[in-house]
């Protein structure tokens, strides 16, 4: 049987016990996931922002939450059309399993990560305890020459260790890792899309999709009205979208008035014509006039009272 264990790892003597180790891994892997998730969301929001036909047909305007909502739907529709062998719904998956081997060379604690992105494995290899690595490379494949830097005895030891965990003759292992304890990343791209929509403070995404002065101004007005109304952000996506539709309509009504047309605009973004969607901090926040926010808030309340 061909054995290709490219991502095999061994725990060093400095590694903590399994319970503490999973706590350490959980903290680090979730951070890596968040770092990887932001560009994925950014690219999908960019698809909506850059496609005027999709934006106007399906959203009716450049409302921020609708941008994310449409990006989420496009993403899920695309993933649903993939072959089952692809990473369905979860390109940033991460799982790691652990095994222990007792043999003539002693006790070895092994680990094998299943990752949708190499960044997870790199992060694992960077983990330390008291200045010493927790994981070291322990890969093995029986259809390739032994790497020059690994001795014959070490290569045979790796072969025997992995074979004991993958014994196809053993009904418990059946040639797989499924019997081993492990840890799995609970987050998903879909969940992060939802978190952005619901405004969870623990999920931040800096998108410079406001490529026009008008977009930046509307976003600032939306945020100012939302904060002053102290609206509950955690009552479901549908409710959040309804709230923002009302605010967007109130903004539109105000901007159509003489006062709205004369309202001071934010300064242009530097090199705005060259900007696409960037990940990073926006230029200094535009503060809309208090009187404009008060008027938009009044228009919002009128819609809410009317049951719109």
């Amino acid at each position: 049987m061909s054995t290709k264990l490219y991502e095999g790892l061994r725990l060093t003597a400095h590694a903590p016990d399994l319970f503490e180790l999973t706590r350490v891994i959980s903290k680090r892997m979730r951070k890596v996931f968040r770092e990887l998730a932001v560009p994925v969301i950014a690219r999908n929001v960019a698809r909506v922002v850059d496609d005027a036909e999709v934006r106007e047909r399906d959203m009716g305007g450049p409302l921020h939450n609708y941008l994310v909502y449409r990006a989420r739907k496009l993403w899920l529709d695309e993933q649903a059309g993939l072959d089952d062998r692809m990473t369905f719904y979860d390109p940033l998956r991460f799982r790691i399993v652990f095994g222990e081997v007792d043999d003539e060379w002693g006790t070895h604690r092994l680990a094998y990560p299943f990752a949708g992105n190499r960044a997870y494995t790199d992060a694992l290899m960077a983990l330390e305890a008291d200045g010493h690595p927790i994981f070291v490379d322990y890969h093995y494949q029986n259809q390739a020459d032994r790497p020059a830097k690994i001795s014959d005895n070490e290569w045979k030891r790796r072969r025997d260790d992995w074979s004991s965990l993958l014994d196809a003759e053993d009904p418990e292992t059946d040639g797989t890792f499924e019997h081993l304890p492990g840890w799995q990343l609970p987050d998903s791209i879909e969940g992060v899309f939802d978190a952005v929509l619901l405004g969870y403070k623990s999920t931040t995404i800096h998108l410079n999709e406001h490529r026009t002065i008008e977009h930046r101004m509307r976003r600032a007005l939306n945020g100012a009205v939302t904060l002053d109304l102290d609206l509950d952000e955690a009552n479901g996506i549908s409710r959040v979208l309804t709230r923002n539709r009302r605010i967007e309509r109130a903004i539109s009504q105000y901007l159509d008035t003489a006062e709205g047309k004369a309202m001071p605009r934010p300064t242009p973004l530097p090199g705005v014509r060259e900007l696409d969607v960037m990940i990073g901090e926006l230029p200094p926040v535009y503060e809309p006039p208090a009187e404009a926010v008060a008027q938009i808030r009044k228009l919002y309340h009128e819609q809410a009272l009317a049951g719109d």
Side-chain angles (χ1 to χ4, degrees), residues 12 34 40 46 55 64-66 76 82 87 95-96 114 135 182 192 210 216 225 234-237 246 264:
T12 69
R34 206 165 291 280
V40 172
R55 184 173 67 245
H64 173 77
N65 286 64
Y66 257 2
L76 295 179
L82 294 178
T87 314
R95 183 167 68 96
I96 186 169
F114 299 89
F135 295 97
V192 175
H210 319 296
R216 292 177 63 211
V225 173
N235 283 327
I237 291 174
R246 287 176 179 165

Side-chain angles (χ1 to χ4, degrees), residues 201-250:
K201 298 299 183 290
S202 61
T203 300
T204 58
I205 177 169
H206 301 296
L207 295 177
N208 201 346
E209 81 267 26
H210 319 296
R211 294 183 296 170
T212 68
I213 294 176
E214 180 75 6
H215 284 193
R216 292 177 63 211
M217 181 181 67
R218 284 177 176 270
R219 183 66 185 131
L221 288 169
N222 191 308
V225 173
T226 298
L227 290 173
D228 197 80
L229 291 171
D230 196 25
L231 296 167
D232 187 353
E233 295 277 7
N235 283 327
I237 291 174
S238 176
R239 203 154 173 193
V240 171
L241 294 176
T242 298
R243 177 206 72 190
N244 281 275
R245 281 196 295 270
R246 287 176 179 165
I247 294 177
E248 180 67 17
R249 281 198 296 266

Side-chain angles (χ1 to χ4, degrees), residues 285-305:
V285 177
Y286 166 65
E287 295 289 346
E291 61 272 16
V293 175
Q295 182 60 29
I296 293 169
R297 192 182 318 124
K298 179 181 176 182
L299 293 169
Y300 171 90
H301 276 306
E302 290 176 358
Q303 292 183 75
L305 290 172

Side-chain angles (χ1 to χ4, degrees), residues 151-181:
S151 68
D152 281 331
N153 286 339
E154 169 72 7
W155 198 240
K156 292 175 182 177
R157 186 179 308 166
R158 294 187 184 193
R159 178 199 63 196
D160 293 346
D161 282 349
W162 289 115
S163 293
S164 68
L165 291 180
L166 291 169
D167 187 357
E169 303 300 322
D170 184 340
E172 181 184 12
T173 64
D174 195 29
T176 72
F177 288 130
E178 295 303 317
H179 66 292
L180 297 175

